[in-house]
Amino acid sequence: MSGFPGAVGVSQLCVYAGGGSPHLHTASTEGYVVLRGGGTLSTLGGDGPGEHPLEPGTVLWFTPGTVHRLVNPGDDLEILVVMQNAGLPEAGDAVLTFPADVLADPEAYARAAAAPRTEEEAARRRDLAVEGFEALRERVRREGPSAMKDLYEAAARLVAPRVEGWRGIWEERVLAQAHRTAAHLDALAAGDSSHLAESSVTRAAPPERRFGMCGRLRAWDWTS
């Protein structure tokens, strides 16, 4: 299996009532396509704080380092999430905006960030991340985007031990697709159409929903 086009991950997200857990990605760009409902995406990043309205048909994306939090005033906000570097987010690319003392302690962070098994656990994790997010947003408003430096340094320390494993995932999934396209272009330039005879269709069954950072999530694994 070659993986989903562009080596991206695709998931269907039903956002928690009230909103999701603020976090950032350290290596991957994330995109949203709003399917139904409405709300707001609150962000913090190199361009300062932002509030981005969401409604059906909204398409937006944000680069690594953008802290983002989905705010859902109702209970019907549903989003198609398109994630760069399929496999890296699942391997720990995301860092939640817990208070500074939790971010400074890898063991405390791991306990606080553990995957929730119930809606109550998901809410506790979210509320702790919102606490850190609100404090950081106030700092950014007072000091400007330079106030993000402490969070970025903490995030880099937390993910550093995983980076070599990520590199293998990236080479196997992302880089391999780029090399495959390069080979196809070389073949076509030479008048060789043999790769077209290998064409096929892949269908993936809907996965079960789980408790994600921002809501109930169906995340497809294109490698299984």
Side-chain angles (χ1 to χ4, degrees):
M1 185 185 297
S2 64
F4 203 69
V8 300
V10 177
S11 56
Q12 179 188 21
L13 175 66
C14 294
V15 181
Y16 296 127
S21 303
H23 62 282
L24 62 85
H25 295 279
T26 57
S28 302
T29 291
E30 183 173 7
Y32 288 163
V33 181
V34 179
L35 302 178
R36 69 184 181 97
T40 305
L41 180 70
S42 297
T43 60
L44 294 171
D47 54 358
E51 298 291 328
H52 311 275
L54 303 175
E55 60 184 17
T58 297
V59 177
L60 52 76
W61 59 92
F62 37 90
T63 54
T66 303
V67 176
H68 51 287
R69 183 188 181 228
L70 285 164
V71 179
N72 181 17
D75 61 0
D76 62 348
L77 180 56
E78 184 175 341
I79 293 173
L80 180 70
V81 180
V82 181
M83 178 65 69
Q84 184 189 22
N85 301 325
L88 296 195
E90 296 80 1
D93 171 49
V95 173
L96 289 141
T97 57
F98 294 138
D101 59 328
V102 179
L103 291 171
D105 182 342
E107 292 184 3
Y109 179 86
R111 289 193 299 270
R117 295 162 295 181
T118 66
E119 214 156 326
E120 291 75 17
E121 290 181 358
R124 283 198 296 271
R125 183 174 71 170
R126 175 191 63 194
D127 292 347
L128 187 62
V130 169
E131 179 184 337
F133 174 76
E134 295 290 356
L136 178 61
R137 181 161 59 179
E138 286 306 309
R139 280 195 63 194
V140 171
R141 285 171 175 163
R142 291 194 312 267
E143 305 169 24
S146 63
M148 302 288 292
K149 182 172 183 259
D150 291 343
L151 172 62
Y152 291 157
E153 291 179 349
R157 286 193 300 270
L158 286 167
V159 304
R162 302 176 179 175
V163 171
E164 280 310 305
W166 292 358
R167 196 180 304 278
I169 294 170
W170 174 76
E171 289 174 347
E172 177 184 346
R173 301 187 184 188
V174 181
L175 190 59
Q177 279 209 28
H179 284 322
R180 190 175 299 113
T181 298
H184 291 167
L185 294 176
D186 289 343
L188 292 169
D192 177 2
S193 64
S194 58
H195 66 282
L196 301 179
E198 300 170 3
S199 56
S200 64
V201 175
T202 299
R203 183 186 185 96
E208 291 186 4
R209 291 193 186 278
R210 59 180 174 82
F211 294 105
M213 289 186 178
C214 296
R216 297 297 300 273
L217 189 69
R218 285 188 202 272
W220 279 263
D221 182 359
W222 308 104
T223 63
S224 59

